[in-house]
Amino acid sequence: MQWHLINMDGDNVGEITLPDPVFGASLNMGLLHSVVKAYQANRRQGTHATKTRSLVSGSGAKPFRQKGTGRARQGSTRGPHQYHGAVAHGPQPRNYRQFPNKKMKQQAMRVALSDKVRWQKLLIVDQIELEKYSTKLVRNMLIKVLPNLGKTLVVDERQDDLLYKSLRNMHMASSSTSQLVNAEDILLSHYLILTKTSLHHLCERLS
């Protein structure tokens, strides 16, 4: 599959080949849902907790005598139905982790990348030249290369943090590398921008 290669000014500078096994996968909503749900579940701390009747502070004594008051008999002030009592069937600390296997995560990446190709939301940039931290420079590049500004993910292989720190000031843009990007990151972005170097490493990772 041939795709346009552009520069930082948005000008077409040539063509580049996208491998069909990576960028031509058929849509699989069930797989995407499983993998993305696992990523989101693995971020949950699971530290929520409510007090059971054994944890609530209070006396173990009977609150009032059994008979003669006209009220329902009670044996404790710590029951769920009592004021300042326990919580019945409340959440307790638990582990939410899910473990999709490597093949599932790789195929979900291929499906997400293919979806960007299908909807013409993928841009391949020759290279991103940055010599200093500059949000203005990166923003001007996005304005030139994108048809309209939207949530954008820029993937580049860099040994410095110039791109990361230049983008983190923009709430509609973020950066990643070919080793760290996942299917959820791609699906949550309206546009995906890859450099030639990151495209090469991404294809190696998913081949």
Side-chain angles (χ1 to χ4, degrees):
M1 179 188 313
Q2 294 298 114
W3 204 256
H4 293 300
L5 180 66
I6 61 177
N7 57 22
M8 291 181 63
D9 293 325
D11 300 325
N12 192 357
V13 294
E15 299 282 331
I16 193 167
T17 302
L18 301 181
D20 288 333
V22 177
F23 292 90
S26 58
L27 184 62
N28 189 335
M29 294 296 293
L31 175 65
L32 285 176
H33 178 263
S34 297
V35 172
V36 172
K37 185 175 69 172
Y39 285 137
Q40 294 175 345
N42 293 346
R43 289 198 296 268
R44 297 185 67 173
Q45 290 185 330
T47 54
H48 41 49
T50 54
K51 289 187 177 181
T52 62
R53 63 191 304 152
S54 64
L55 299 174
V56 174
S57 298
S59 171
K62 193 173 174 65
F64 47 82
R65 57 185 179 149
Q66 180 84 346
K67 294 179 178 292
T69 65
R71 299 177 62 187
R73 54 194 175 187
Q74 301 293 332
S76 171
T77 59
R78 297 184 291 179
H81 62 295
Q82 296 282 8
Y83 183 64
H84 286 170
V87 175
H89 309 297
Q92 294 298 318
R94 56 165 289 191
N95 184 7
Y96 285 95
R97 287 194 66 82
Q98 299 179 22
F99 300 94
N101 59 47
K102 182 178 179 180
K103 287 185 177 180
M104 288 178 64
K105 290 187 286 188
Q106 286 185 336
Q107 184 60 22
M109 278 279 292
R110 297 187 191 102
V111 173
L113 289 169
S114 302
D115 188 63
K116 285 290 182 281
V117 170
R118 189 177 298 111
W119 292 99
Q120 302 288 316
K121 302 293 185 181
L122 173 66
L123 296 98
I124 309 296
V125 179
D126 187 15
Q127 61 180 342
I128 299 177
E129 298 177 357
L130 283 176
E131 298 179 354
K132 61 179 181 178
Y133 303 110
S134 176
T135 300
K136 180 179 180 180
L137 178 63
V138 177
R139 177 178 172 81
N140 289 337
M141 180 198 74
L142 295 181
I143 291 174
K144 291 176 181 178
V145 302
L146 297 177
N148 49 64
L149 284 180
K151 191 171 183 181
T152 306
L153 175 63
V154 183
V155 180
D156 190 15
E157 301 299 308
R158 301 185 67 91
Q159 301 301 319
D160 53 51
D161 59 355
L162 293 179
L163 181 63
Y164 165 70
K165 288 191 175 180
S166 297
L167 277 173
R168 68 178 179 179
N169 232 10
M170 301 172 58
H171 73 283
M172 293 294 285
S174 59
S175 66
S176 185
T177 66
S178 61
Q179 294 300 317
L180 297 179
V181 68
N182 58 44
E184 183 187 12
D185 298 333
I186 296 172
L187 289 175
L188 290 179
S189 60
H190 297 158
Y191 295 98
L192 174 64
I193 297 177
L194 302 176
T195 61
K196 281 179 61 177
T197 307
S198 64
L199 174 64
H200 175 70
H201 285 287
L202 201 58
C203 291
E204 284 186 345
R205 173 186 168 189
L206 298 176
S207 60

